[in-house]
Amino acid sequence: MTIKKQLLFTIIFSTLIPMVIMPWLGYLYIRNTVKEQLLLQGKRQLEEITRNLEEIMDDVLMVSNVVAADEYISGVIRRKGADIGERKEIIKMLENFNAVYLYRYNAAIVIYDSDGEVYSTLGGMLQQEDKEFRRKWKEDTIENKDYFLWKTFPELSGEDPILGMSRNLYEKNGIWIGVICIEIYQDLYMGKLLYQDNELAHTERYLVNENGEFVLSYSNHEGPLKFTETLYQELSKKPQTVRGSREINIGSERYIFLQDSVEKTGWKMVQVVPYNEIFAKLIYYRNFNFISNLVCLLILILLGTYMVGNVGTSLSRLGEA
């Protein structure tokens, strides 16, 4: 091999490793680090949303405790046969409790006593208070062995509640006197429950009840939601990963799936983010470095060829002399 070729190959291989191979190795290392950080960020976002929902649940529990501990309300319900004045007084008290403790939400309070009487903040409309889901809800509460019963209503219309809590009311001596149901409706506050700042594009979040039904949904992109109840139910049959996340395929795209549990209930907070969105900037940085290094390598090869040619010509002339 001539000196010219030896010098040229030395230049090429001495620059090929640091300029082409090292960016790929750096990308593989940084990718895992970035993925860990973004998964941690996603978990923190879900935990914050879960805490916000639990604050709503705590507000509901608080107002139910206030109603259950009110001696005037329990006295009228226990005695049965309340007159018009007593009924109006109880309804006014429920409206005040609603305004004081549940002022952030669009909420309603309904009490059913053991004699079939109804006291509610729904406006006294019998057709509202006697809807089938409310009758079933009351029956489930009476039969429920737990102290509180949390319910979601994903199949109802927009005018009906999206979630609620009910409990049995008892006298001090333990005798059952009625049921209280507190309903939360979809409004601006509940609509922002699943929203988070500084989130990745095409993020989707869901509140899923114990039956795998979507109660609330959110996305920061236009168009139909990619994640479905069918996909969630299929995932729920598979064992959970140690870190609570997994990679899933929806059509031809890959997504990162995360979920968090809601205390007091069997509900879940779910987040789905496209895999490419997580590494979009990193992939752009990798490709930019790769192309830049290739251009620099080409320039070095051209300069090296020119310089080696000059050296080779000088050596040839020296040899001839």
Side-chain angles (χ1 to χ4, degrees):
M1 183 180 292
T2 63
I3 295 177
K4 179 179 179 180
K5 290 183 179 179
Q6 290 180 7
L7 290 173
L8 189 59
F9 278 115
T10 300
I11 293 174
I12 292 174
F13 285 107
S14 63
T15 57
L16 183 63
I17 294 176
M19 298 188 68
V20 177
I21 298 178
M22 290 304 296
W24 279 93
L25 295 177
Y27 164 74
L28 294 176
Y29 172 76
I30 296 174
R31 183 185 65 177
N32 293 331
T33 304
V34 171
K35 182 178 179 180
E36 292 292 332
Q37 293 297 322
L38 290 173
L39 287 177
L40 181 61
Q41 177 185 348
K43 289 179 181 179
R44 288 174 178 171
Q45 289 176 335
L46 278 184
E47 289 172 357
E48 183 176 350
I49 294 172
T50 302
R51 285 194 298 269
N52 293 337
L53 177 60
E54 289 174 349
E55 286 181 4
I56 297 174
M57 299 169 72
D58 289 339
D59 290 341
V60 172
L61 289 174
M62 180 170 56
V63 72
S64 74
N65 290 332
V66 171
V67 173
D70 190 277
E71 295 183 358
Y72 179 81
I73 293 177
S74 60
V76 173
I77 294 175
R78 178 179 63 250
R79 182 164 42 82
K80 302 179 183 180
D83 57 34
I84 297 177
E86 291 174 328
R87 286 180 54 82
K88 289 183 177 180
E89 181 63 24
I90 291 180
I91 292 174
K92 183 179 179 181
M93 292 175 66
L94 295 180
E95 290 174 346
N96 291 336
F97 292 150
N98 196 352
V100 172
Y101 298 102
L102 302 177
Y103 64 91
R104 293 187 293 178
Y105 324 110
N106 183 9
I109 305 175
V110 182
I111 295 178
Y112 306 90
D113 68 12
S114 58
D115 201 31
E117 293 291 335
V118 181
Y119 309 83
S120 79
T121 61
L122 293 171
M125 295 181 292
L126 183 60
Q127 65 272 21
Q128 288 287 335
E129 299 162 356
D130 199 40
K131 280 191 173 182
E132 182 179 354
F133 81 89
R134 289 192 175 95
R135 293 200 305 269
K136 181 67 168 57
W137 188 10
K138 179 181 70 173
E139 295 170 0
D140 292 342
T141 305
I142 296 173
E143 297 176 0
N144 180 43
K145 295 181 181 179
D146 298 329
Y147 200 60
F148 302 103
L149 178 62
W150 294 94
K151 296 281 287 185
T152 59
F153 310 97
E155 302 297 330
L156 300 181
S157 66
E159 297 179 354
D160 293 318
I162 56 175
L163 59 89
M165 188 280 296
S166 60
R167 60 184 288 183
N168 291 297
L169 299 176
Y170 297 94
E171 288 186 88
K172 293 181 179 180
N173 55 9
I175 298 177
W176 179 83
I177 59 175
V179 171
I180 178 174
C181 298
I182 301 176
E183 307 172 357
I184 302 294
Y185 296 80
Q186 177 79 322
D187 60 359
L188 184 61
Y189 186 86
M190 292 299 294
K192 292 183 177 180
L193 177 64
L194 302 183
Y195 169 79
Q196 282 287 292
D197 294 325
N198 302 321
E199 58 189 7
L200 294 172
H202 301 284
T203 297
E204 296 181 7
R205 295 192 186 92
Y206 304 88
L207 171 62
V208 187
N209 65 13
E210 65 278 7
N211 299 321
E213 300 171 312
F214 291 171
V215 181
L216 291 173
S217 61
Y218 162 81
S219 68
N220 60 5
H221 65 85
E222 298 180 355
L225 299 173
K226 301 293 183 67
F227 199 59
T228 63
E229 293 182 3
T230 303
L231 287 173
Y232 176 79
Q233 292 170 0
E234 291 177 357
L235 286 173
S236 62
K237 297 177 183 178
K238 300 178 181 179
Q240 289 291 327
T241 59
V242 177
R243 298 182 180 182
S245 65
R246 57 162 54 104
E247 297 178 12
I248 62 174
N249 293 321
I250 303 178
S252 59
E253 299 182 16
R254 188 163 50 156
Y255 288 77
I256 300 295
F257 170 85
L258 285 166
Q259 74 173 4
D260 188 33
S261 299
V262 181
E263 295 183 4
K264 304 183 182 73
T265 67
W267 304 346
K268 303 288 184 182
M269 284 290 183
V270 173
Q271 177 172 291
V272 181
V273 182
Y275 193 87
N276 290 337
E277 290 295 334
I278 294 179
F279 302 107
K281 293 182 179 180
L282 185 60
I283 292 173
Y284 173 80
Y285 178 74
R286 179 204 65 187
N287 294 340
F288 176 79
N289 279 344
F290 182 69
I291 294 173
S292 300
N293 289 341
L294 284 179
V295 172
C296 291
L297 179 61
L298 180 60
I299 294 173
L300 285 174
I301 291 174
L302 293 176
L303 290 175
T305 303
Y306 174 75
M307 294 176 62
V308 168
N310 289 338
V311 172
T313 302
S314 299
L315 291 176
S316 297
R317 291 176 180 177
L318 182 62
E320 292 174 356

